[in-house]
Amino acid sequence: MLISQNAIEYTYRSETSRGAECFAVHVVGASMEPAFFQGEQVVVDPRRVPAAGDDCVFAAEEQSGEWRASIKRLLRVAPDRWRVRQYNPAKDFDLLRSEWGKAFKIIEKKVPLTCR
């Protein structure tokens, strides 16, 4: 999925994220179902360091300046790669840190009333 640096909407902030420099991302696609569904929002706090077992938004900057993102479960951190898991279809694989330079820990999920 491509991400924009511009706000597309504002959302209620829970006690978990209030006062923090958090941002939300809309889930696009089905690769993480049943943990995350199309149309849900995930909130990340860029100050929190992700660890094995955390669900994360991984971000890669394109040469054009656009950003792409992918939501996966972080399994292991190595100096040159992230070992991740997706659920649909189920598979574990590596994301190179030279390409996917940022990992943001997901701290909450918001399910819209119109979702599912």
Side-chain angles (χ1 to χ4, degrees), residues 10-27:
Y10 292 91
T11 185
Y12 169 78
R13 300 205 33 195
S14 71
E15 290 297 321
T16 304
S17 62
R18 196 166 290 144
E21 295 292 323
C22 298
F23 62 91
V25 176
H26 288 276
V27 176

Side-chain angles (χ1 to χ4, degrees), residues 11-106:
T11 185
Y12 169 78
R13 300 205 33 195
S14 71
E15 290 297 321
T16 304
S17 62
R18 196 166 290 144
E21 295 292 323
C22 298
F23 62 91
V25 176
H26 288 276
V27 176
V28 177
S31 70
M32 287 301 286
E33 288 181 8
F36 302 101
F37 288 89
Q38 169 90 19
E40 293 178 336
Q41 285 183 354
V42 295
V43 177
V44 302
D45 182 346
R47 299 170 305 162
R48 296 197 187 178
V49 178
D54 290 337
D55 292 318
C56 298
V57 174
F58 294 89
E61 186 174 10
E62 300 288 319
Q63 287 190 0
S64 66
E66 289 186 308
W67 287 83
R68 32 183 194 129
S70 187
I71 297 173
K72 303 291 179 233
R73 166 75 47 97
L74 178 60
L75 299 177
R76 189 170 45 254
V77 179
D80 63 338
R81 65 191 69 235
W82 315 99
R83 183 71 175 171
V84 298
R85 172 172 292 153
Q86 72 176 31
Y87 300 127
N88 185 26
K91 69 177 179 175
D92 296 349
F93 57 97
D94 293 331
L95 297 174
L96 296 178
R97 291 179 77 162
S98 60
E99 181 180 353
W100 297 89
K102 296 188 184 292
F104 300 105
K105 180 179 178 175
I106 295 172

